[in-house]
Amino acid sequence: MKKIILTPNPYRDRNFDIVRSARDILQEAGFDVKICLPFEMERTADFPRDIRFHRLDRELPGAFMVVCFGGDGTILHMAKAATRQGVPILGVNMGTLGFMAELESSELSMLRNLADGKYTLDERMMLDVTVHRDRDIIFHDICLNDVVVTKGAVARIVHLNVRCDGIQAMECNGDGVILATPTGSTAYNLSAGGPVVEPEAASILITPICAHDMVSRSIVASDKRVITVGLVKNTHRSAYLSVDGGKALRINAGDVTTVKKSPLTTKLVRLKDRSFYDVINQKFKNS
């Protein structure tokens, strides 16, 4: 019996009604269904007694699929763990735009198609991110959407040097810079004036944030490039690095952030026959 993991978002599905419906549909279709919280919750949280919660780290290895409930942020959070285990993700949108989600909460009946193999897998490029401080690696992660280096909350300009394969591509003076995958092109990259790129494209997007000049523009680089970001020399200020909207890491002058294509890919489950352009037209029309 194939195991499917359901990861609810208690902040969006407070009574777990959507997850209950999905569980019943999948169990009727013959799947072994496990419900796992995707993140730590306070012990005082009031959970329904009729739902048994399992540990995600124990259930994820060997799982057939993860059905992730929430917005794009919830899917991004789950993508790292699922991808490292080679488990595909099916997103059920309970947020606002939900570019990566395949189903709306009103379309749960389509989950029955999984039992008949009526689905496809959409492989999405990821980025590998490393921060070096002198000879030490102080940070390493993978991401599906973007890597963002910013000035932080204070009202000042950060001076960044962006290099592709060791050659200067951009000196960015402003709020920071975004390095995005094609999947992440419709996220922060789009808000900062970057291009929308098809998810199947092989590229890394470099987009300055609120550049304090008239010439800085987005660059669409090949996925074969190795991109480095560092504070401009003689700059004594710090900057902050965030991967897929996660907790910020303070980086100092002399630190080097290296971004390149990851050998890992996130596999998103598709149940509908629609193109990327259908998705963006629908999402932007309804936003």
Side-chain angles (χ1 to χ4, degrees):
M1 185 180 294
K2 293 180 179 179
K3 177 172 63 177
I4 288 185
I5 297 173
L6 307 185
T7 59
N9 185 329
Y11 300 108
R12 295 187 182 274
D13 186 13
R14 292 186 179 276
N15 296 318
F16 295 88
D17 293 333
I18 303 299
V19 169
R20 282 193 185 91
S21 297
R23 177 196 60 189
D24 295 345
I25 291 170
L26 289 168
Q27 285 179 340
E28 290 174 5
F31 290 103
D32 176 22
V33 181
K34 304 293 185 182
I35 300 177
C36 304
L37 292 174
F39 40 72
E40 293 290 333
M41 295 287 295
E42 295 180 5
R43 294 183 180 180
T44 57
D46 186 19
F47 293 129
R49 295 182 179 180
D50 63 318
I51 296 179
R52 181 184 176 188
F53 294 97
H54 299 262
R55 284 185 52 175
L56 182 63
D57 59 341
R58 292 180 179 176
E59 300 296 341
L60 199 53
F64 171 64
M65 187 179 298
V66 173
V67 181
C68 186
F69 298 81
D72 283 348
T74 309
I75 296 175
L76 287 173
H77 181 82
M78 179 53 56
K80 297 177 186 181
T83 296
R84 288 187 172 109
Q85 294 293 337
V87 180
I89 301 172
L90 192 158
V92 177
N93 184 39
M94 299 181 66
T96 50
L97 289 177
F99 277 97
M100 284 180 281
E102 178 66 1
L103 301 179
E104 298 297 324
S105 58
S106 59
E107 299 175 315
L108 294 181
S109 62
M110 294 188 70
L111 292 173
R112 295 187 178 91
N113 293 336
L114 296 174
D116 299 324
K118 297 178 180 179
Y119 65 91
T120 59
L121 295 180
D122 183 5
E123 291 202 28
R124 297 293 183 91
M125 167 185 163
M126 300 188 82
L127 296 176
D128 182 277
V129 190
T130 306
V131 179
H132 287 87
R133 178 169 293 165
D134 297 325
R135 296 183 179 181
D136 298 325
I137 295 176
I138 64 169
F139 178 85
H140 179 258
D141 204 353
I142 55 174
C143 76
L144 176 58
N145 250 13
D146 51 36
V147 182
V148 181
V149 181
T150 64
K151 63 183 179 58
V154 296
R156 61 175 173 82
I157 291 175
V158 67
H159 303 271
L160 300 172
N161 191 7
V162 182
R163 295 178 176 272
C164 289
D165 293 344
I167 300 173
Q168 182 168 314
M170 180 188 303
E171 186 168 307
C172 180
N173 301 322
D175 284 2
V177 67
I178 303 165
L179 307 178
T181 64
T183 297
S185 72
T186 52
Y188 195 1
N189 169 78
L190 178 63
S191 299
V196 174
V197 178
E198 291 188 26
E200 292 82 4
S203 56
I204 302 175
L205 315 180
I206 308 170
T207 300
I209 307 169
C210 296
H212 197 249
D213 59 59
M214 300 295 290
V215 295
S216 293
R217 295 291 184 270
S218 293
I219 296 174
V220 181
S222 165
D223 66 339
K224 297 180 177 62
R225 303 295 173 223
V226 176
I227 301 169
T228 58
V229 180
L231 289 158
V232 173
K233 289 184 178 180
N234 301 322
T235 299
H236 300 290
R237 294 169 176 167
S238 60
Y240 294 87
L241 171 79
S242 179
V243 174
D244 276 347
K247 184 178 179 180
L249 169 74
R250 178 171 174 167
I251 54 178
N252 303 321
D255 295 347
V256 177
T257 299
T258 302
V259 178
K260 60 184 178 181
K261 180 181 179 181
S262 171
L264 301 176
T265 57
T266 295
K267 297 177 178 63
L268 299 180
V269 178
R270 296 304 182 206
L271 291 167
K272 302 175 183 177
D273 183 17
R274 58 178 183 173
S275 76
F276 171 67
Y277 300 100
D278 292 328
V279 175
I280 60 173
N281 284 334
Q282 176 190 358
K283 298 299 182 181
F284 289 139
K285 181 179 180 180
N286 295 334
S287 63

